[in-house]
Amino acid sequence: MTKNKKTLISGVKPTGRPHVGNYLGAMKQFVDLQDDYQSSIFIADLHALTSVQNKKELEERIFELAVDYLAIGLDPKKTILFKQSDVPQVAELAWIFNCITTMPYLMRAHAFKDAEAKSKEINVGLFDYPILMAADILIHDIDVVPVGLDQKQHLEIAKDTGEKFNRIFGETFRLPEPYILEEVKTVPGTDGQKMSKSYKNTIELFASDEEIKKAVMGIPTDSKGVDEAKNPEEDKVFSLHTFFTKEPELSDLRKRYEKGGIGYKESKELLIKNLSEFIAPMREKREKIAKDRAYVLSILEEGGKVIRAQAEKKMEEVREKVGLKLK
Ligand code: ADP
Ligand code: TRP
């Protein structure tokens, strides 16, 4: 890894199986950017603890996400892969940030407001989520953070927090820029809403052929017959085709929708075929990697070592700046 490359960090919570929306919206960018940035990608397991409170489940989800990262093509020679909890310095930094952050400021965060609006039980970890995220980023003097649009506010909080610290204690942290790809659209789920684990409308990234078939066959359509003209923009099957069916097949399909002559059954079968071609190579790679637990764990361990040393160096500076280190 060369020194003059810009730095990049991002993470995903190990809270459930990733779907094709997570992949196209966020995870694919990690792979596409790993040649051009000095990249670190982590498993946000401390963040997951705000909602997953079951030892066995958390252990499984952490391991599975590590396998997923490798299966989508993150290359440990290019990207440092690690577990957030292997870097306890971020929790230490989050505490220091807590002490310069006001409650009303954090009460404006969307995730907190949503949870409150839904009368959910809100633990202190969830309330403090954006501050831990700020620590994840700022501790590494990061240039860019690739995330989906829904994380924009969290990045603003990270930047504000770094700015505030710099103002109080002197220039310490590089302020990160969000990297939100404009062209990354929201992938719709099988019911036409945003694809999301919370809506049970997903097509899993590593789904089996049977699961793909079941998900696609379950997409609701109107009752138009084969010969009737159909508006592709109004059809949930077609909107998924726009992500998984390549040209010229996609334009042909659009014409057949508009003219009439294709039924939903045929359209679904084509989508199943194309989804399957998209998913199968990653799924097969994943199956192989998952068998080598020792290899996967060694990647995380190595990554953790490198990142921990980097974070400790920064924390030395922070402790000194705030007055915790006596000379
Ligand atoms: P979910 O809504 O399924 O729980 P997460 O909140 O865990 O997904 O999101 C993880 C990442 O995937 C985020 O960066 C988010 O922006 C992105 N993402 C989630 N759903 C979609 C979608 N349907 N289309 C595009 N990107 C998505
Ligand atoms: N909050 C992010 C999500 O829900 C996960 C995350 C935690 C993260 N810490 C981060 C992303 C630091 C980027 C940088 O998707």
Side-chain angles (χ1 to χ4, degrees):
M1 265 175 272
T2 46
K3 272 265 173 290
N4 51 16
K5 279 186 181 173
K6 285 195 165 185
T7 52
L8 169 159
I9 201 161
S10 195
V12 172
K13 276 180 295 173
T15 48
R17 305 296 307 131
H19 51 75
V20 293
N22 297 140
Y23 174 73
L24 295 177
M27 295 163 83
K28 182 173 182 289
Q29 277 63 261
F30 306 167
V31 182
D32 293 345
L33 296 168
Q34 66 180 342
D35 286 321
D36 298 329
Y37 289 84
Q38 189 177 319
S39 295
S40 310
I41 299 292
F42 65 96
I43 297 171
D45 51 1
L46 294 176
H47 276 112
L49 266 175
T50 62
S51 60
V52 182
Q53 294 165 358
N54 176 302
K55 170 184 154 72
K56 197 160 173 291
E57 185 186 344
L58 188 59
E59 285 171 351
E60 273 174 22
R61 299 244 183 252
I62 292 171
F63 179 74
E64 298 213 324
L65 183 54
V67 178
D68 297 343
Y69 277 158
L70 292 164
I72 62 170
L74 283 176
D75 176 354
K77 291 193 195 73
K78 297 178 185 164
T79 298
I80 301 175
L81 293 172
F82 70 102
K83 252 164 81 218
Q84 185 185 31
S85 58
D86 281 343
V87 192
Q89 288 84 353
V90 293
E92 183 186 354
L93 181 58
W95 176 257
I96 295 174
F97 287 160
N98 278 339
C99 299
I100 62 165
T101 305
T102 68
M103 298 263 294
Y105 176 77
L106 279 189
M107 282 162 110
R108 289 202 293 268
H110 299 317
F112 169 72
K113 286 207 292 198
D114 283 356
E116 212 185 22
K118 289 180 190 146
S119 304
K120 284 194 187 155
E121 192 179 279
I122 301 166
N123 56 50
V124 178
L126 182 70
F127 182 64
D128 203 29
Y129 187 108
I131 293 300
L132 183 61
M133 181 158 163
D136 287 329
I137 299 166
L138 294 167
I139 206 166
H140 299 298
D141 285 326
I142 289 299
D143 294 305
V144 296
V145 186
V147 282
L149 195 58
D150 56 354
Q151 295 296 314
K152 194 171 175 193
Q153 192 193 35
H154 285 155
L155 293 188
E156 284 160 6
I157 295 176
K159 207 168 166 183
D160 282 356
T161 306
E163 244 165 22
K164 189 164 184 188
F165 185 101
N166 288 350
R167 209 165 50 237
I168 300 173
F169 298 106
E171 201 56 33
T172 309
F173 294 111
R174 185 180 304 173
L175 304 177
E177 289 304 326
Y179 186 100
I180 297 170
L181 290 184
E182 292 304 323
E183 68 267 28
V184 173
K185 289 177 279 178
T186 299
V187 181
T190 50
D191 59 357
Q193 295 188 80
K194 170 192 159 178
M195 186 177 290
S196 170
K197 277 166 250 162
S198 337
Y199 303 151
K200 302 208 168 12
N201 63 356
T202 61
I203 298 171
E204 290 188 2
L205 181 56
F206 301 101
S208 65
D209 283 343
E210 241 350 272
E211 287 165 335
I212 298 171
K213 196 169 163 194
K214 195 165 165 239
V216 173
M217 284 304 178
I219 300 175
T221 52
D222 61 31
S223 54
K224 290 203 174 86
V226 176
D227 295 329
E228 281 178 80
K230 303 172 181 68
N231 182 353
E233 307 309 328
E234 284 172 5
D235 176 41
K236 300 176 180 71
V237 184
F238 191 86
S239 61
L240 279 163
H241 272 294
T242 63
F243 291 90
F244 301 102
T245 299
K246 296 198 184 79
E247 292 297 356
E249 198 173 29
L250 184 63
S251 296
D252 286 350
L253 188 67
R254 179 184 289 279
K255 281 188 207 128
R256 291 182 66 203
Y257 260 75
E258 285 164 352
K259 274 190 21 219
I262 182 166
Y264 292 117
K265 184 163 178 285
E266 187 185 340
S267 177
K268 284 182 173 180
E269 279 161 359
L270 185 63
L271 179 62
I272 291 169
K273 176 177 151 289
N274 292 343
L275 262 169
S276 186
E277 280 169 12
F278 172 81
I279 287 176
M282 282 193 278
R283 187 182 63 218
E284 282 154 21
K285 195 167 163 198
R286 191 186 190 286
E287 280 160 16
K288 282 197 199 112
I289 296 167
K291 285 190 189 130
D292 198 347
R293 188 174 176 93
Y295 165 73
V296 177
L297 296 185
S298 74
I299 298 285
L300 292 181
E301 199 184 320
E302 276 310 302
K305 262 190 219 157
V306 175
I307 291 289
R308 198 158 51 238
Q310 200 173 295
E312 178 54 24
K313 196 158 163 248
K314 189 75 191 178
M315 278 313 291
E316 286 283 312
E317 182 190 344
V318 173
R319 293 178 201 120
E320 201 271 324
K321 286 260 168 70
V322 300
L324 289 168
K325 201 170 148 191
L326 304 185
K327 275 190 244 155

